[in-house]
Amino acid sequence: MSNFTLVDPKGWDCDLQSVYSAYMGHFQLHNVAWFERSWGVFFESFEEFLTFSWPAITVTDTWTGRAHIVVRMSSVGAFLKMLKTRYVLELIYMAVLFKLLILSRRFGETLPVVENILRITPFETSQRHLRTISDYAQYRKVFSTLPAVVLSAQKVRVRNGEPKAIHELWASRDKTFLALDFEWSERNSASCIEWGYAAVRCGHLDTAGAWPPDPEPNYRRGHCIVAEYADKVHNKLRPSFPWAYAFGESQVVPKTKLAQMIQAIIRYVLPHQIHPAMRELDLLPFYSSLISPDSETIPNTLVLVAHGTTGDLRRLEEMKIKLPHNLLILDTMAFERHLYTTGQRGAMRESPGKPREQGSTLSLTALLQSLGVDVQRVLHNAGNAAFMTLLGLQMLLDPDTRVPTPRAPNGVPAMLRGPNRSPSMPPAIAFMPPPSVFAGPQMGLVRGASPVMFPGSTGPDAFVDPMAGNRMSYFPSHRSISDHRLTPPAGSFSGRLPGRPRVSSTNDVNEMGERLAAINLKNQTIGAVTPPHSR
C-alpha cells in the first residue's frame, strides 16, 4: 500500500506500446542498424523494452473512447538520454581499448524524438493510479484492466450527454433503452402515487428486421397507479393526472408491491420469487427481464433513460431498488444541451430576437415542442412522461421517427368503477411550439404560438359540458362522478343539491371546480322557480 500513488492525468499522453512501435519503424525507415548498438538489447522485443521501468497510468481517449496505457513525454526523453549515455560509455571504452583519439564525430549520434508516437487526450480529469511497468507480466496485468477503464469512462460520457457516445449506443442496435418516470406526493416525499415506463429493445427489433423502431407498435410500455393513493392524494403545485394515460391501460397495484414490480423490470426475477398477489393482479407480463448480467468490464444491454435523472435515481434508491454496476444512465436533458452547444440543433431562440443561451436546458414539454411534436396529452402522468421521454430521445437520434397518435385516456371506463376511485381529469390543454423555443428548418419545427389554456373556449380535444359550467373534458361523453352527483334527478329537486362530503385540503382545486359547477347549476334551477333577488 505504501507504493500506491495518485497522479494528475494531464500530460500523460503517449501510448506506451506505440513508443516502441514508433522507434522500430524509425529504424527501418532510416536504415539504422540498431542490433549492432549496445542499447539494441532494449529493442529486441517489447518485453525487453519494458525493462527500462516505465511509470504509466491508464486513461481513455477523449475522442475515440478507447483505453490506453500511457506515459509522459518526459519519460520518453529520459529513455533516450539513457541510450545516449550508454552509447557514449561504449565509445569511451572503445577509445581506451583501441587507443582512438578522434571520437567527437561519433559522440553526436543519438536517437531523435520521433513524430509517429500515438498521442492522445485523456478524458479523465480525476487523479489516476500510478504504476511502474518493468516486465511483460506487469504490462499484461495492467492491460487486463483496460475494459473496466472503458466501461467507467463510457458511463460518465453517456450520463453527461456526450453526443458521440450516445449515437454509438444507438447505432450499435444491441441495447435496450428503458425510460422511467415517477409521480410523488408533494406532502409526503415517501409516497409514490404513480409509476410509468417505456422501453425499446433494439437488439430484438434489429434481428426481426424492424429497424428503425416505430414507437406505436415497438415500444413496450406500462403505467401503474398505487391503489392506496388513487383519488385520495392530489398534488397542488404540480398537479398529477393518474387517469390520463394515453398509451394503454393503467394498472392499479398495491403500494407494497410497486418496488417489486420495478425491480422485476430492471433485473431478472425467478418464477418462485413472484409473489402470489402479482399473479392475481395479472401483472406477470411485467416479469420479463430487460437486463443482462452485471459485469466489471462489459456495459449492460440496458440503458436507463430519464429527463433529468437526479430525482428518478433518488426515488429508486429510496425504494431500495438495486441497479447493476454496469448500467448506463442517459439524461435526455443533458444530451439535448450538448447537441445545442455543439451546434447540432441549429439556431434556437428563447424569445423574439433573443438567441438561446449556451448551456441552457429544456423541459420535456419544450424539448418535444422544439422537435415539432404537438403535445396534446398531459405530461404530469408517469406513463405519458416515460413514453414521451423515450420518443424525444429517439427523435434526437433519428429526426425521421414517426410520431404516434395517443389513444383515448383510459379514465373514461375508470369513471364507472365507483366513487372510491373517481378520476380527476384535467382540462384540455393544447401545447404548440412557442416562439421561445424552436430549432431551424432542419429539425422540422413548426413555429407557432405559446402554450394556450382554454378556460372559456374549446381546445382541440376539449368538450364543454353545459351541465357543468366551465368544466372541460377530453371527450363529449366524459363526465366525472361528481358531475353526475351534481345533476338532480328529474322531478326530485327539493331546493338542496346532494352535496359531496368535505375533503381534505389536498383536493382544494377539484373541490373548488365542483362548487362552482354546483353554484351555476343551482342558480339556473332556482331562476326557473323563484323570482331573482337583487342586492
Side-chain angles (χ1 to χ4, degrees), residues 91-100 103:
L91 294 179
I92 293 176
Y93 172 76
M94 292 175 60
V96 173
L97 183 63
F98 298 101
K99 298 181 180 180
L100 298 177
L103 299 174

Side-chain angles (χ1 to χ4, degrees), residues 258-371:
L258 181 62
Q260 184 180 356
M261 286 180 51
I262 301 174
Q263 185 78 5
I265 293 292
I266 295 178
R267 69 181 181 89
Y268 179 72
V269 177
L270 298 175
H272 70 272
Q273 295 176 312
I274 301 176
H275 195 276
M278 297 292 100
R279 305 178 189 273
E280 296 175 1
L281 289 170
D282 193 23
L283 295 177
L284 293 183
F286 284 103
Y287 287 86
S288 54
S289 178
L290 301 175
I291 206 166
S292 61
D294 199 353
S295 172
E296 295 291 334
T297 58
I298 302 174
N300 206 287
T301 58
L302 183 66
V303 180
L304 190 64
V305 182
H307 193 76
T309 58
T310 304
D312 293 322
L313 292 178
R314 184 172 63 251
R315 299 307 183 189
L316 290 173
E317 183 179 355
E318 291 173 357
M319 298 175 74
K320 294 181 173 50
I321 295 176
K322 299 179 181 178
L323 297 177
H325 166 78
N326 62 344
L327 181 69
L328 302 178
I329 300 174
L330 196 161
D331 187 348
T332 52
M333 183 183 293
F335 179 38
E336 190 280 335
R337 183 181 67 242
H338 274 268
L339 288 175
Y340 176 70
T341 302
T342 56
Q344 299 181 51
R345 296 217 62 200
M348 303 180 73
R349 290 204 301 262
E350 293 182 351
S351 61
K354 180 182 178 181
R356 178 183 170 187
E357 295 182 0
Q358 293 289 333
S360 60
T361 58
L362 299 181
S363 65
L364 179 57
T365 300
L367 169 62
L368 295 171
Q369 291 170 353
S370 72
L371 294 170

